[in-house]
Amino acid sequence: MEGVMQWQSATPIPALAKRSKDPDWERKQRLREYRVASRREKRNRKADEKKQRKLNATILRRMTRNPDKYTKNAERNRLRAIESERRVIWNEALKQAQRLAAVHDPTGAMFNIGPVAIQEDGSILSLETIRRREERGAAKKEASNALLEITIYQKGNAKQSEPVDTKSIFESGMNPERRAQIDTGQHVKSGTKMSKSQQRKLAKFAPQPPPPKPTIPEGVQIPESEENWLDLWDLPDVEVERRVLKARKRKAAARKALRVNQQSGKVERRAARDEKRKVYRDLKTTWKSIKEEEKRHKTKMKSVEDEEGKKIALAIATMERKMALEISAALGFTISNTEGVAEIIPKALGMRGVEVDFDSLELGDSLHNVKSRGAGNAVQKNKKRVDLTGAAGIEGSFMVPTGARNVEDPEDFIKLDIGEGQDHEVLNYNHKLRRKLRRAIEAADVKKELLVRERAAEYCKDVGMDPLPELLTPAKPIHLRGERALEDGTLETAKAERVRLRLELAEFNKAARVLRAQAKEIAMEAGLRVHAEMTGRIPPRGSQGNEGSTFNYGPGWVLPEEKSPEVIQPVELVVQ
């Protein structure tokens, strides 16, 4: 019909839904939205009612000055409390009679109860209770065995499509009442849903008949420390309710006393806590020196390992260079007969324009030990420094050209002039220059050796043989940082390094745990001492009698009485 407003669901229809298979889809969606809206409205209404009840109770308490708080279902809760207290009285009376029967008459005939037995842990139970426990345990075990049989059967016949008949397997371990409900069809759930906790609560407060009242025969006395629960068996509801109210008042008084006790020692506990934290913090600051010392030791060991690694790498490179020269000499190639070696001359970096006669220099053992070949007379031996002025040429050993500014020409800022304006500087052969000269000579020697190796390798290729591996080794030392040299001369692998680091970390954590435990113990003792001093259990520090005194801080501790000092009387000497 045109112009008539059609109902439209708030839930969109799925794009892939087929209306032909489910024609009642809109009706189901409509009913579902009605149910959701109804539940939402009921929930909001109940929340509003609860708020209003709380507001009414507050207003009523303010108007009547009644401290009692409003509770919902007060009458029902009162009756439930009375019923619960009466059941507690009955159970305690039965337990009291069972304890007496275990001593005087285990059959229980004198006390109007069943036979009882003493268990291994000292508890006393009736034989009926023991029998019910055994039946429940046997039923549970039988059900678990049945489930295990089903699991084994399904695993063994996983490929078969026939269903497993579990009814016959569970019939033996099922509760008879439950099986009767299933057979009669009474197990169908009702419309109202109830949670498990609600069901247990209703079953707990369900009316139950009272058990047979036990009796205590003449001549049997109840212990003085126990209450006579049989006298409370037939108490009226008013007296039972009075007992409930007294118990509530006792619990409230105990809670209040606990709060007061907790609030009373707040200052002392706070002072003890601050002292404990202060002592622990001071002890932690002392650990920094240990950490710094450990760090310095690790840094030192790392530098030592680095230096040792460099020495080992240098020794290996020197040995490989020597072997390469020997093999090249065996093939007929040496530094003296190889073409192109004489053209390689040392070049010192940063000394352009300065001529140095490297042929007159001689290298020593140390890094800065560079001296002239003719500096071996007696005069030079008495000097601490080696004179290398004869090593350089005349032009470069006496003058070093420097720049001068031309004042007449302002556009030319710096001008190099070889003629006028030169400053004369004598070349200073210090340690830095000596190391520079040594590096230049060694670099030239390495280039010469590499050239000899290259000629020897080309000769091997010309004769149709592969170059020997000794000729292809690098001339510079290869130092791998981070790899340790073990005692047998091999390098430490990555796995060995991880194991070593893990062991070091475990040792460090072990030592740290010991330190923390000791610090906590010392801090705890300091806090307890401050608390004991503030509460008067021990005299304050610095007072007489508290020099290194010990204390046992615990409940029931009292301050010991101070003894008066004993007066030593002089002994009379008897003269014979």
Side-chain angles (χ1 to χ4, degrees):
M1 295 176 60
E2 296 181 0
V4 179
M5 191 173 186
Q6 296 287 337
W7 177 87
Q8 186 176 1
S9 175
T11 306
I13 301 176
L16 302 179
K18 295 182 179 180
R19 302 290 297 274
S20 59
K21 291 187 177 181
D22 192 2
D24 299 334
W25 187 83
E26 289 189 1
R27 181 182 59 83
K28 292 179 180 179
Q29 287 295 111
R30 189 187 307 114
L31 295 178
R32 177 178 174 275
E33 290 186 358
Y34 287 163
R35 289 194 302 270
V36 171
S38 177
R39 284 197 296 267
R40 187 184 302 111
E41 191 272 336
K42 182 180 180 181
R43 184 169 61 249
N44 296 337
R45 177 169 48 82
K46 293 184 69 174
D48 295 340
E49 291 176 357
K50 184 176 181 180
K51 292 179 182 179
Q52 189 63 36
R53 283 197 304 269
K54 292 180 66 175
L55 181 60
N56 295 341
T58 304
I59 295 173
L60 183 63
R61 286 200 304 272
R62 290 177 180 177
M63 291 175 61
T64 60
R65 296 182 180 180
N66 184 14
D68 294 337
K69 191 175 181 181
Y70 170 76
T71 55
K72 185 181 178 181
N73 299 324
E75 184 64 20
R76 184 200 64 182
N77 295 339
R78 186 182 71 83
L79 296 177
R80 284 184 176 180
I82 294 173
E83 186 67 20
S84 299
E85 182 66 18
R86 192 177 297 280
R87 290 182 184 179
V88 169
I89 293 173
W90 292 346
N91 292 333
E92 292 296 333
L94 288 175
K95 291 180 181 179
Q96 190 175 46
Q98 289 175 0
R99 287 193 297 268
L100 295 175
V103 178
H104 301 281
D105 184 16
T107 60
M110 298 172 55
F111 298 88
N112 194 23
I113 57 175
V116 296
I118 302 176
Q119 304 298 312
E120 295 180 357
D121 56 352
S123 61
I124 299 172
L125 298 176
S126 63
L127 297 183
E128 182 66 22
T129 303
I130 297 174
R131 183 185 62 80
R132 288 198 301 268
R133 288 185 180 181
E134 291 178 353
E135 289 180 356
R136 286 197 298 267
K140 187 181 296 185
K141 185 177 180 181
E142 193 171 355
S144 62
N145 293 338
L147 183 61
L148 181 61
E149 291 180 4
I150 293 174
T151 306
I152 295 174
Y153 181 83
Q154 290 178 350
K155 288 183 178 179
N157 303 282
K159 296 182 180 180
Q160 298 180 5
S161 59
E162 296 180 0
V164 181
D165 186 13
T166 58
K167 182 177 180 181
S168 60
I169 299 176
F170 276 107
E171 281 182 355
S172 57
M174 187 180 295
N175 189 1
E177 297 178 358
R178 176 62 177 165
R179 193 170 68 181
Q181 290 179 359
I182 294 175
D183 294 340
T184 57
Q186 298 178 1
H187 65 285
V188 181
K189 294 183 180 180
S190 59
T192 59
K193 295 183 179 180
M194 191 178 298
S195 63
K196 294 289 184 180
S197 59
Q198 186 69 12
Q199 293 177 10
R200 285 193 294 269
K201 187 181 294 185
L202 293 178
K204 177 182 177 181
F205 294 111
Q208 297 178 3
K213 182 179 180 180
T215 58
I216 297 179
E218 297 180 359
V220 178
Q221 298 293 334
I222 298 176
E224 296 180 359
S225 59
E226 296 183 5
E227 185 180 6
N228 190 354
W229 294 95
L230 289 176
D231 294 344
L232 308 176
W233 188 279
D234 297 325
L235 276 180
D237 292 348
V238 178
E239 297 295 332
V240 175
E241 186 177 6
R242 187 176 291 113
R243 284 178 57 88
V244 173
L245 295 177
K246 286 183 179 180
R248 289 179 180 174
K249 289 182 179 180
R250 282 196 303 269
K251 290 182 179 179
R255 289 195 300 269
K256 185 176 180 180
L258 178 61
R259 287 194 300 270
V260 172
N261 188 18
Q262 289 175 348
Q263 294 291 333
S264 62
K266 181 185 291 185
V267 178
E268 292 82 358
R269 288 195 303 272
R270 185 170 296 175
R273 182 199 62 187
D274 296 342
E275 180 68 17
K276 182 178 69 173
R277 290 180 179 178
K278 178 179 176 297
V279 172
Y280 188 76
R281 195 182 302 114
D282 294 343
L283 290 173
K284 283 180 67 177
T285 55
T286 60
W287 300 345
K288 291 183 179 180
S289 60
I290 301 176
K291 290 183 179 180
E292 291 176 357
E293 183 65 26
E294 184 72 17
K295 188 177 180 180
R296 285 195 297 268
H297 178 69
K298 286 184 177 180
T299 305
K300 183 179 178 181
M301 293 301 298
K302 190 175 182 180
S303 62
V304 170
E305 292 175 0
D306 196 12
E307 292 295 332
E308 292 295 330
K310 289 180 181 179
K311 291 180 181 180
I312 293 173
L314 182 60
I316 293 173
T318 305
M319 183 186 65
E320 290 179 349
R321 287 171 58 186
K322 186 177 179 181
M323 292 177 60
L325 287 179
E326 291 177 356
I327 293 174
S328 299
L331 294 175
F333 294 91
T334 60
I335 295 178
S336 58
N337 63 5
T338 303
E339 184 180 358
V341 173
E343 299 175 359
I344 300 175
I345 58 175
K347 292 182 181 180
L349 299 177
M351 296 183 65
R352 181 177 298 178
V354 179
E355 296 181 2
V356 179
D357 188 7
F358 289 96
D359 295 335
S360 63
L361 297 180
E362 183 180 358
L363 301 181
D365 296 334
S366 61
L367 185 62
H368 57 272
N369 190 1
V370 180
K371 59 184 179 179
S372 177
R373 296 182 186 275
N377 50 14
V379 179
Q380 292 293 339
K381 290 181 180 179
N382 295 330
K383 293 182 179 180
K384 294 183 179 179
R385 295 176 61 92
V386 179
D387 187 11
L388 295 178
T389 54
I394 298 176
E395 295 81 9
S397 61
F398 292 99
M399 292 181 297
V400 176
T402 58
R405 183 178 179 182
N406 190 1
V407 184
E408 297 178 357
D409 189 5
E411 297 181 357
D412 188 7
F413 182 70
I414 293 177
K415 182 178 180 182
L416 293 176
D417 191 2
I418 304 299
E420 298 179 358
Q422 285 186 343
D423 295 332
H424 302 280
E425 295 182 2
V426 180
L427 206 60
N428 184 13
Y429 289 92
N430 52 16
H431 292 283
K432 183 177 180 181
L433 181 58
R434 293 180 186 184
R435 289 195 295 269
K436 186 181 294 186
L437 297 176
R438 185 185 184 92
R439 285 195 295 268
I441 295 173
E442 289 179 352
D445 293 342
V446 170
K447 288 182 180 180
K448 294 176 183 179
E449 292 178 7
L450 290 177
L451 183 58
V452 173
R453 290 190 197 182
E454 185 179 356
R455 297 288 189 271
E458 291 177 357
Y459 173 77
C460 291
K461 292 180 180 179
D462 293 340
V463 297
M465 60 180 294
D466 295 334
L468 297 176
E470 288 80 1
L471 299 175
L472 304 178
T473 55
K476 293 184 179 180
I478 299 176
H479 173 49
L480 301 177
R481 298 180 180 273
E483 294 189 1
R484 287 190 173 188
L486 302 179
E487 297 179 355
D488 56 353
T490 59
L491 294 178
E492 186 181 30
T493 60
K495 183 178 180 181
E497 183 182 3
R498 289 196 300 270
V499 172
R500 177 176 57 82
L501 293 177
R502 195 179 297 116
L503 291 176
E504 291 178 358
L505 182 60
E507 291 293 334
F508 177 79
N509 292 336
K510 184 178 179 181
R513 281 195 297 269
V514 173
L515 288 177
R516 283 195 294 268
Q518 293 176 355
K520 286 181 180 179
E521 184 177 357
I522 295 172
M524 183 66 69
E525 184 177 356
L528 291 177
R529 182 176 293 278
V530 170
H531 192 277
E533 290 175 0
M534 295 185 68
T535 54
R537 298 186 177 225
I538 60 174
R541 280 173 289 186
S543 62
Q544 187 177 3
N546 193 23
E547 289 80 4
S549 62
T550 57
F551 63 95
N552 296 323
Y553 187 75
W557 187 88
V558 294
L559 189 67
E561 298 180 358
E562 297 183 0
K563 297 182 179 180
S564 59
E566 298 180 0
V567 180
I568 302 175
Q569 301 293 338
V571 180
E572 297 181 359
L573 299 178
V574 179
V575 180
Q576 296 180 355

